[in-house]
Amino acid sequence: MSDLAKTPGPSAEKTEKAGQSATVPAQATVPAVDPRLLIREEGFKGYWSEFTRKVRGGELGSLPVFVGLIVIAIVFQFQNSNFLSASSVANIAVYSSGLGIMAVGIVFVLLLGEIDLSVGSVAGVGAATWAVLNVNHGWPEWLGILTAVLAGTALGALHGFFFAKIGVPAFVVTLAGFLGWSGLQDWMMGGEGSINTPSGSVVEDLTNYFFEDKAVGYGLALVAVIAYAVSLLVDSKRRKAANLPARPVTEIVLRTAVVAVLCFVVAYVLNEPEGARGLPLALVLFLAVLVIADFVARRTTFGRQVFAVGGNAEAARRAGISVDRIRIIVFALSGTLGAFGGLFIASLSGGATKSVGGGNTLMLVIAAAVIGGTSLFGGRGKVWSALLGMVVIQSIQQGLNMIGMANAVQYMITGAVLLAAVVIDSVSRRTQKTAGRA
């Protein structure tokens, strides 16, 4: 055989390389990963860089609220050393609960990019329904309470129907509700004007019952910490199973420790100092509503659809979401929580009156949701905004009352805080648009 025959030609070389490539496994293609998703694996450095990135991009979250609370606490504590006392903290918790529950419903409405001006009147109708049925007509109290809450659900669903199906703007529909339901409340109360809360009734206990046993306060704090830690561990496990960056154990421990300190400090302040009455039932119910609503907003299909509709209703509709159904349910939810909150207001005032839900109730409820960080423009916010915003408002009112400030000044300061929150939200959105993250 000649040397030419022994020398492999180009075609032979290609065949040999092809054979080698067939026997050697190809290197797996690694998909590109957004570096921002890996911050949890970079420890403190990663979180700090992410924090600074968000601040530069206008994503402030609840940071202004926490800073504001710290400033409020420091200023009023210097003005009056009893501001952070057990009785003062308990008053803030109790007075925040009813209005805060109503604010939770407003958060959902704001997530849609809409407004509900009827929530105060719905609260008044809820209180009047309970009082008339239970006190005047002798209905069992629990049945009267259930009927009152369902009445709020019906009124809210009616608002949602006119808004979603008929096309009447939510502002107009709820403004009509504000006027109409105020008249209904007045008519239901009749010439009496007020119906006192029966002594020892469930409604009276809503804001007047305190768990004097210290084990209850510390026990609930422990349950909250354990539940929070478990939720973090479950979330981390799910992300790992989906091959997504997950929180490291050190971060879970640190977050749990921070929540534990917060919960047990509150439990200590409510239980241990002189004059402490224990854990208020109103605070327990408020936190229960918050936890349930937060789960619905963040962990259910309905919650994700609410954010989708608030972000872009037309895009949500094209994605197969029933926008009308979501809107009706959200307004029904706002009415439900409005009526429930009305029972707390009746409990604080000693009975159902024609003024329940009137005055500055609407202003405070909407202000709490906005001050807490929920955007007026829809699609952004958290249920816990209701708690943060209401604590800010009640802390200001409590502090001003303790230093003897007039109501007129309280209104001006609360209005200024509300304006500041809206300005921050507007600037934040403009900054995000500039950064291309709106």
Side-chain angles (χ1 to χ4, degrees):
M1 182 179 296
S2 64
D3 293 337
L4 182 60
K6 293 179 181 179
T7 303
S11 60
E13 290 179 358
K14 291 180 179 179
T15 304
E16 183 179 357
K17 290 180 180 179
Q20 290 177 353
S21 63
T23 57
V24 178
Q27 185 176 4
T29 302
V30 180
V33 178
D34 187 341
R36 291 174 295 178
L37 297 177
L38 301 176
I39 59 173
R40 293 172 174 174
E41 299 176 357
E42 297 177 7
F44 177 78
K45 180 182 177 181
Y47 276 99
W48 178 252
S49 62
E50 177 69 0
F51 172 76
T52 56
R53 182 193 68 80
K54 285 185 175 181
V55 171
R56 288 194 302 267
E59 301 177 49
L60 300 179
S62 300
L63 178 63
V65 186
F66 285 112
V67 174
L69 280 174
I70 293 173
V71 172
I72 290 171
I74 293 174
V75 169
F76 285 122
Q77 184 65 20
F78 273 109
Q79 294 291 325
N80 190 316
S81 59
N82 291 323
F83 177 73
L84 295 178
S85 65
S87 59
S88 177
V89 173
N91 284 337
I92 293 174
V94 170
Y95 279 88
S96 297
S97 298
L99 296 177
I101 289 173
M102 297 167 65
V104 172
I106 293 296
V107 167
F108 278 91
V109 175
L110 292 180
L111 288 176
L112 290 180
E114 303 299 338
I115 194 68
D116 185 355
L117 300 178
S118 68
V119 64
S121 298
V122 172
V125 171
T129 300
W130 159 78
V132 170
L133 294 180
N134 175 236
V135 179
N136 290 0
H137 296 284
W139 282 33
E141 186 171 16
W142 283 107
L143 184 57
I145 292 174
L146 178 61
T147 305
V149 173
L150 291 179
T153 305
L155 298 183
L158 186 62
H159 299 153
F161 172 80
F162 278 102
F163 168 52
K165 296 295 187 180
I166 308 301
V168 183
F171 179 89
V172 177
V173 171
T174 56
L175 179 60
F178 168 76
L179 298 172
W181 308 139
S182 295
L184 177 61
Q185 174 189 2
D186 197 355
W187 176 79
M188 291 178 66
M189 296 297 298
E192 299 180 10
S194 65
I195 301 176
N196 294 331
T197 305
S199 178
S201 65
V202 174
V203 171
E204 183 186 49
D205 288 342
L206 287 178
T207 58
N208 291 283
Y209 184 83
F210 290 75
F211 295 97
E212 297 180 357
D213 189 350
K214 298 179 181 179
V216 176
Y218 289 115
L220 287 178
L222 180 61
V223 169
V225 173
I226 293 175
Y228 180 73
V230 170
S231 68
L232 292 181
L233 290 172
V234 171
D235 180 68
S236 179
K237 183 178 179 180
R238 292 175 58 190
R239 294 185 65 87
K240 288 180 179 178
N243 293 322
L244 295 173
R247 290 189 177 95
V249 177
T250 52
E251 182 194 341
I252 293 177
V253 172
L254 179 60
R255 285 174 173 266
T256 304
V258 171
V259 172
V261 170
L262 179 63
C263 290
F264 281 100
V265 165
V266 173
Y268 175 84
V269 171
L270 293 174
N271 279 305
E272 300 297 340
E274 184 179 355
R277 299 177 61 186
L279 179 67
L281 173 63
L283 179 60
V284 175
L285 295 175
F286 183 22
L287 293 177
V289 170
L290 284 169
V291 170
I292 295 172
D294 180 66
F295 177 83
V296 170
R298 295 194 304 114
R299 301 293 185 182
T300 66
T301 301
F302 169 76
R304 290 189 289 270
Q305 290 176 344
V306 170
F307 280 95
V309 173
N312 191 320
E314 183 57 32
R317 182 179 288 107
R318 294 184 179 185
I321 297 175
S322 177
V323 175
D324 292 349
R325 180 180 65 87
I326 295 299
R327 286 172 170 171
I328 293 174
I329 293 176
V330 166
F331 276 92
L333 177 62
S334 177
T336 301
L337 295 178
F340 188 38
L343 298 177
F344 283 76
I345 300 176
S347 177
L348 283 172
S349 59
T353 66
K354 293 182 179 181
S355 63
V356 169
N360 60 352
T361 300
L362 174 63
M363 180 201 74
L364 293 179
V365 170
I366 296 179
V370 176
I371 291 172
T374 301
S375 174
L376 281 170
F377 304 98
R380 287 196 313 159
K382 296 180 179 179
V383 170
W384 292 92
S385 300
L387 172 64
L388 296 175
M390 191 53 66
V391 170
V392 168
I393 291 174
Q394 292 298 336
S395 296
I396 292 174
Q397 292 190 343
Q398 177 75 8
L400 293 177
N401 284 331
M402 294 180 73
I403 62 177
M405 198 68 69
N407 288 335
V409 178
Q410 295 185 28
Y411 289 153
M412 288 188 286
I413 293 178
T414 304
V417 172
L418 174 59
L419 178 61
V422 177
V423 169
I424 291 174
D425 182 36
S426 300
V427 173
S428 172
R429 290 180 63 87
R430 185 180 305 171
T431 305
Q432 289 184 54
K433 288 182 179 179
T434 304
R437 286 193 291 270

